[in-house]
Amino acid sequence: MGGAGTQGTGEAPEDGATSGAERASLDTSVAHIARVYNYWLGGKDNFAADRAAAEQAIAAYPQIVLSVRANRAFLSRVVRYLAGEAGIRQFLDIGTGIPTASNTHEVAQSVAPESRVVYVDNDPVVLVHARALLASGPRGVTSYLDADLRDTGRVLAVAAQTLDFSRPVAVLLMAVLQHVDDADDPRAIVAALLEALPPGSYLALSHPASDIDAEAQGKLADRLNQTMAEKVTMRDRAQVARFFGGLELIEPGLVRVPQWRPASELEAASPAGLWGGVGRKD
Ligand SMILES: C[S@@+](CC[C@H](N)C(=O)[O-])C[C@H]1O[C@@H](n2cnc3c(N)ncnc32)[C@H](O)[C@@H]1O
C-alpha cells in the first residue's frame, strides 16, 4: 500500500478517551492483563478489579514492577536494533498493550521515519486508546487491528493491507505468549506467522520465566490465574527457546531481558523475570 500518514483499519474509535458508552461495553468487574500491566507501569487506564489483581501479584512477586519496566526497555532496545542495524522497516506488534511511553512506531520512526507498524491486540481498552498508536509520523504508517493472536489467518490478512509481505517484517510478541495455553499450541501460532514472512524477517519476543525466581513466579501465576480474565502460563528457558526453532538467534541470544544489549551495567543488573531474544529467518 502506498501513501503516507496515519492509517487505521477503520476499527479504532474516533476518540482516544474512554467515553461513558465505551466503558459500558467493557467488563470492568474482572481484571484484564492489559489494564493490570498498565497499573504495574504506573498508568491510569485501569479499574478497581485490575488494581486489586495487580497489587495481589505484587505481594506474590514484588519484582513484577521491575520486570514490566525492563520488558518495556527491552522492547525499545529491540525495535531500535531492528530499525537500525537490521534495517527493518515493517513491524507487526501483536499483544501491543495500552499505549505508553516509547510505543513501537515512535521508536522505529525515530530511527527510520518511513517505518510501517501494524498493532494487534484483543483488549477493548487497547482499542479505545488505539488513536495514540495511529499517530504515525508523516513518512510512515501505523494501523491497529482488534484481533486475537490465535486467529493468525485474520491477523496476517489484515496486516497485509499495510505491510508488504514480500519484504522483511519483524514480528514482535512481547509478553503475550504466556496468555496462549499449550492447548492452543503457541508454537504453531508463531510458526504460522513466520511462515508468511520472507527470509530476512525477524521474530522478537519476551516471555515470563518459570525458571527465574521459580517459587515467587509460581505464586504470581497462581494469583493472576485466580484474578484475571486471561490465563497465564509461565515457561522455562528451553520452552521459550523452541519458539525460535529454525531461526538464527541474534547475539546475545535468549537471555533475561535486561541482559539483551543493555544500555548500562545498571540496566543489565535488573532482576527482571522474563526471557527475551531476537531471531532472524534465513
Ligand atoms: C502483558 S501485556 C504486554 C504489552 C506489550 N506487548 C509490552 O510488552 O509492553 C499483554 C498484551 O497482550 C494482549 N493479549 C493477550 N492475549 C491476547 C491474544 N490472544 N490476542 C491478542 N492480544 C492478546 C493483552 O490484551 C495485553 O494488551
Side-chain angles (χ1 to χ4, degrees):
M1 291 193 48
T6 301
Q7 175 191 318
T9 60
E11 299 194 37
E14 284 301 303
D15 194 336
T18 313
S19 72
E22 285 156 350
R23 267 195 211 111
S25 70
L26 301 173
D27 179 2
T28 60
S29 67
V30 180
H32 282 265
I33 183 58
R35 287 140 32 178
V36 170
Y37 186 78
N38 170 266
Y39 179 85
W40 288 331
L41 283 174
K44 300 262 182 285
D45 298 306
N46 46 69
F47 299 92
D50 307 310
R51 293 190 282 277
E55 284 294 346
Q56 284 191 38
I58 292 170
Y61 179 60
Q63 315 287 30
I64 187 66
V65 174
L66 287 174
S67 290
V68 298
R69 289 190 184 151
N71 184 55
R72 286 302 300 184
F74 170 70
L75 167 64
S76 279
R77 296 196 305 279
V78 164
V79 172
R80 196 168 291 284
Y81 163 80
L82 290 167
E85 214 173 303
I88 290 291
R89 297 291 177 267
Q90 306 192 97
F91 297 83
L92 179 53
D93 180 347
I94 307 177
T96 306
I98 295 169
T100 178
S102 300
N103 300 300
T104 296
H105 74 281
E106 291 162 340
V107 178
Q109 292 180 355
S110 73
V111 178
E114 69 274 33
S115 296
R116 306 171 80 87
V117 180
V118 174
Y119 291 110
V120 181
D121 205 291
N122 68 348
D123 189 292
V125 174
V126 181
L127 174 63
V128 163
H129 290 278
R131 190 175 187 170
L133 301 171
L134 296 175
S136 172
R139 290 179 53 200
V141 173
T142 60
S143 68
Y144 182 80
L145 170 63
D146 178 25
D148 193 304
L149 155 67
R150 291 167 292 191
D151 189 355
T152 52
R154 175 153 183 258
V155 168
L156 290 166
V158 178
Q161 295 169 16
T162 300
L163 307 179
D164 174 358
F165 281 178
S166 69
R167 302 177 59 200
V169 174
V171 175
L172 310 181
L173 291 166
M174 297 297 186
V176 62
L177 287 173
Q178 72 275 15
H179 301 302
V180 180
D181 289 351
D182 288 339
D184 284 331
D185 201 349
R187 282 176 66 195
I189 290 169
V190 174
L193 293 169
L194 291 171
E195 176 71 30
L197 307 180
S201 294
Y202 287 82
L203 169 69
L205 67 79
S206 59
H207 198 297
S210 61
D211 52 348
I212 300 173
D213 282 340
E215 197 181 330
Q217 292 261 42
K219 278 191 198 151
L220 169 69
D222 290 347
R223 292 277 168 90
L224 292 174
N225 282 328
Q226 285 157 14
T227 52
M228 281 201 324
E230 299 85 2
K231 294 297 159 225
V232 174
T233 304
M234 306 279 184
R235 295 188 170 94
D236 67 22
R237 189 173 178 281
Q239 290 170 317
V240 178
R242 280 187 212 115
F243 291 124
F244 291 98
L247 304 183
E248 175 205 348
L249 267 174
I250 301 302
E251 282 296 316
L254 182 62
V255 294
R256 289 195 317 105
V257 291
Q259 289 169 352
W260 199 91
R261 303 183 181 223
S264 65
E265 284 183 20
L266 188 64
E267 181 159 56
S270 162
L274 297 100
W275 297 116
V278 177
R280 185 178 191 277
K281 179 175 177 177
D282 285 323

